[in-house]
């Protein structure tokens, strides 16, 4: 080693912490590999120090303790160093190994990743990714008056968004170098405040390779992965979300600036995290960057009864071996890192049912990782949300092992609300159940209504506008012959497929979007909406737009301005109405004294009308009626509470500003004509 690297002293170093750390004797490197027979540390120093790559072969007798390989280098620069590993081991494919020492691998515990600097730079699509570190920077200044928002779970209104797509469009009016960045998001916080949300759920912000689809000829090689569900590393923030092509150190600092600014505005930060698979694809077309070459048999589920092929419960070619003790600790350390270093407030776990599978893929009732996350002291303040299904058919909506802490994306809410509002028969009872908090799913042990994350729209699927404008998906631009994306959308185009100049159809679509948003905001549970739905964003029927770094995904600020006084106004006022009325945000499941169903037609499959009253205990009751028929319903309005009168706040059939009148309109009579495909909200005052 000294002959290869004469200018620095080396020593065996420490086994922990894994990754890179600064210790008294120098810079320490430690990496896990149970099955490796040879490990070589590869270092690229700043050009001012050394030009070229230096490779240090670790001595198994001196630099290995158990399954940890380690080395300490004295006088190594405290920043600007790139590093990776070449690792060799058994070449027995059928035993699950995929070692290849020709590939330089990323340290799973690297806190920063260096790659291409500009997002989508196709001239650099074959770039290599390295780990790096920064011990030069001062600790981030969170500020003397800084505090966490600590929004109660019952009060959350979540806004699902993509950091890049939020400001990448030129209509954002930001400088070119700031568009699509963490700092760009900061500039648009006033919009989030005007809308009224108090939490953002960020699509993946862990380092990913947006050009992975272009590394070899294939039907999708025209696309750029802009959603980010293809993780390279679980600790490093996406470096190409830094402004001005600033790289990983700047990305880390700017991410913290973004969190600090959001927290200063009272908005929590929830990260959409992908621990169910990585970017390394399948055995047919592997993209080896880290885990596969370090210890495939440990990090991934393999089928030892089928030539050790990678098991695929993620739909992306591999499945992370989440409940292996080593992998479980990696995931826990990653989560703690984002809480302690970046101050995030929670996590939404993509395809979380994978976390409920054993090392052979078999579902387990008390998965160690899910329990450990639930009980972890560092994660105790965090919101934790499961997407309770995977691509292997493990559907756990209402059944996700939760230790009374985990919330769930309520897929049944999405489907039932969609079907009732569009007028499907026999959905009234289901609609009522979902509006009332899905007690059939979540009223068990100490679970609460807010453990149901209610959503009509999410990033994956139709936008709200497309839900009321398309009967079928239109995914030809994705290059998969229309075979990708969900087929069960429960959508209705209101009479014409796609764009139309028909004023009646456009008016119906507008009503339907407002009906969906009204239902979402008056439902017990935690509402989540998708970025862009507040102005009616369209992807022109593409319900799987992950690969388009274009206007299909990018927030259109010009359209927002054009709809500020109509569509956006309604959405914003409805969110703020929810947050100002406790009766819509119950801590516990509603009982018979909290609601009156004005209904004697439950068992009529053809009935598409539902009316009910919510009682707040102080006379400020709320009356709601939803009419999903194609004809008007004259409904009897019950007497208001004593010494109160009904005021009409919402009628989605009316044009703005009459569709939502905050102070309410008096003069409500004993009956009310609820127009076809519309809804009303009355408040007792």
């Amino acid at each position: 080693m000294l002959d290869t690297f004469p200018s620095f002293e080396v020593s065996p170093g420490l086994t922990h912490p894994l990754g890179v750390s600064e210790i008294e004797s120098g810079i320490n490197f430690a990496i896990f590999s149970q099955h490796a027979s040879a490990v070589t540390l590869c270092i690229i120093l700043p050009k001012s120090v050394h030009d070229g790559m230096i490779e240090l072969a670790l001595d198994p007798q001196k630099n290995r303790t158990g399954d940890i390989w380690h080395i300490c280098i004295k006088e190594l620069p405290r920043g600007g160093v790139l590093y990776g590993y070449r690792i060799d081991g058994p070449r027995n494919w059928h035993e699950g190994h995929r070692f290849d020492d020709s590939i330089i691998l990323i340290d799973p515990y690297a806190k920063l990743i260096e790659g291409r600097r500009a997002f989508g730079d196709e001239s650099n699509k074959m770039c290599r990714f390295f780990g790096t570190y920064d011990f030069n920077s001062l600790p981030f200044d969170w500020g003397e008056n800084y505090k966490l928002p600590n929004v109660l779970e019952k009060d959350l209104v979540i806004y699902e968004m993509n950091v890049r797509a939020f400001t990448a469009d030129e209509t954002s009016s930001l400088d070119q170098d700031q568009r699509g960045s963490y700092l760009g998001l900061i500039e648009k916080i006033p919009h989030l405040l005007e809308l009224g949300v108090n939490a953002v759920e960020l699509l993946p912000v862990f380092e990913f390779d947006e050009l992975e689809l272009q590394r070899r000829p294939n039907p999708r090689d025209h696309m750029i992965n802009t959603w980010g569900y293809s993780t390279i590393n679980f600790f490093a923030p996406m470096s190409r979300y830094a402004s001005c092509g600033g790289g990983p150190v700047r990305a880390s600092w700017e991410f913290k600036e973004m969190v600090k600014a959001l927290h200063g505005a009272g908005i929590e930060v929830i990260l959409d995290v992908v621990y169910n698979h990585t970017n390394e694809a399948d055995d047919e077309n592997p993209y080896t960057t880290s885990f596969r070459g370090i210890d495939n048999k440990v990090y991934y589920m393999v089928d030892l009864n089928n030539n050790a092929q990678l098991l695929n419960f993620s739909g992306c070619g591999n499945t992370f071996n989440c409940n292996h003790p080593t992998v479980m600790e990696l995931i826990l350390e990653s989560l703690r890192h984002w809480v302690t270093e970046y101050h995030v407030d929670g996590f939404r776990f993509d395809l979380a049912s994978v976390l409920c599978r054993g090392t052979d893929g078999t579902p387990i009732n008390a998965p160690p990782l899910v329990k450990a996350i639930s009980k972890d002291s560092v994660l105790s303040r965090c919101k934790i949300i499961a997407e309770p299904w995977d691509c292997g058919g493990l559907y756990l909506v209402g059944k996700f092992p939760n230790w009374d802490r985990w919330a769930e994306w309520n897929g049944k809410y999405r489907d039932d609300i969609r079907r009732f509002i569009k007028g499907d028969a026999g959905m009234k009872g289901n609609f009522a159940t979902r509006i009332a908090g899905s007690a059939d799913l979540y009223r068990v042990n100490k679970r609460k209504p807010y453990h149901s994350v209610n959503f009509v729209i999410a990033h994956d699927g139709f936008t709200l506008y497309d839900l009321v404008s398309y009967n079928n998906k239109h995914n030809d631009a994705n290059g998969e012959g229309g075979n990708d994306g969900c087929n069960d959308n429960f959508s209705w185009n209101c009479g014409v497929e796609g764009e139309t100049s028909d004023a009646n159809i456009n008016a119906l679509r507008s009503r339907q979007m407002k009906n969906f948003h009204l239902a979402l905001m008056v439902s017990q549970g935690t509402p989540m909406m998708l970025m862009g739905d507040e102005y009616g964003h369209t992807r022109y029927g593409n319900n799987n737009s992950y690969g388009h770094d274009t206007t299909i995904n990018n927030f259109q600020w010009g359209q927002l301005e054009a709809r500020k006084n109509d569509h956006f106004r309604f959405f914003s006022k409805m969110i703020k109405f929810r947050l100002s009325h406790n009766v819509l945000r119950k801590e516990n499941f509603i009982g018979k004294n909290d609601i009156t169903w004005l209904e004697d037609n439950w068992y009529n499959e053809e009935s598409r009308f539902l009316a009910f009253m919510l009682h707040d205990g102080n006379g400020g009751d709320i009356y709601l009626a939803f009419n999903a028929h194609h004809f008007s319903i004259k409904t009897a309005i019950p007497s208001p509470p004593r010494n109160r009168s009904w005021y009409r706040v919402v009628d989605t059939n009316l044009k703005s500003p009459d569709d939502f009148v905050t102070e309410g309109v008096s003069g409500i009579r004993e009956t009310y004509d609820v127009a076809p495909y519309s809804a009303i909200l009355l408040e007792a005052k």
Side-chain angles (χ1 to χ4, degrees), residues 211-413:
L211 295 180
E212 62 180 356
L213 300 170
Q214 300 188 21
R215 298 178 69 89
R216 62 178 179 82
N218 68 90
R220 299 185 294 162
D221 60 12
H222 60 293
M223 294 204 293
I224 294 174
N225 184 345
T226 188
W227 285 359
Y229 290 89
S230 195
T231 309
I232 283 178
N233 171 277
F234 297 116
F235 291 85
M238 178 60 174
S239 60
R240 285 169 298 291
Y241 288 171
S243 65
C244 308
V249 175
R250 190 179 183 100
S252 176
W253 182 84
E254 292 182 357
F255 188 97
K256 293 172 186 174
E257 286 286 356
M258 177 190 69
V259 173
K260 179 180 176 180
L262 285 164
H263 283 178
I267 298 172
E268 293 199 333
V269 179
I270 298 170
L271 302 186
D272 189 338
V273 291
V274 188
Y275 293 110
N276 62 83
H277 74 282
T278 76
N279 65 296
E280 295 191 301
D282 54 21
D283 281 326
E284 184 176 355
N285 295 293
Y287 175 27
T288 301
T289 59
S290 183
F291 310 96
R292 176 184 173 94
I294 292 171
D295 209 326
N296 184 79
K297 193 174 181 179
V298 169
Y299 283 113
Y300 295 109
M301 296 181 190
V302 297
D303 186 355
L304 294 176
N305 296 318
N306 184 26
N307 200 30
Q309 293 291 309
L310 292 170
L311 291 168
N312 182 16
F313 299 111
S314 67
C316 298
N318 63 68
T319 309
F320 216 47
N321 198 9
C322 297
N323 284 300
H324 185 287
T326 297
V327 183
M328 184 172 77
E329 188 55 35
L330 170 76
I331 294 171
L332 288 168
E333 283 296 318
S334 165
L335 294 168
R336 295 173 190 134
H337 178 68
W338 288 97
V339 173
T340 57
E341 183 73 14
Y342 293 101
H343 292 197
V344 303
D345 304 284
F347 305 92
R348 175 266 187 189
F349 292 79
D350 180 66
L351 298 182
S353 289
V354 165
L355 279 58
C356 302
R357 293 182 181 273
T359 55
D360 63 353
T362 303
I364 48 181
N365 292 327
L369 175 59
V370 175
K371 180 179 180 180
I373 292 171
S374 308
K375 304 294 184 180
D376 190 87
S377 59
V378 174
L379 306 178
S380 61
R381 73 167 180 84
C382 293
K383 280 77 175 177
I384 46 177
I385 303 168
E387 182 184 35
W389 52 80
D390 64 20
C391 294
L394 189 55
Y395 187 78
L396 296 174
V397 173
K399 302 174 184 176
F400 192 85
N402 55 79
W403 282 271
D404 297 325
R405 280 208 59 204
W406 286 74
E408 301 176 16
W409 268 26
N410 189 345
K412 292 184 178 179
Y413 178 95

Side-chain angles (χ1 to χ4, degrees), residues 57 111-112 312 331 338 354 454 476 519 553 658:
K111 303 304 187 295
L112 301 170
N312 182 16
I331 294 171
W338 288 97
V354 165
N454 300 328
D476 292 343
N553 282 311
D658 296 326

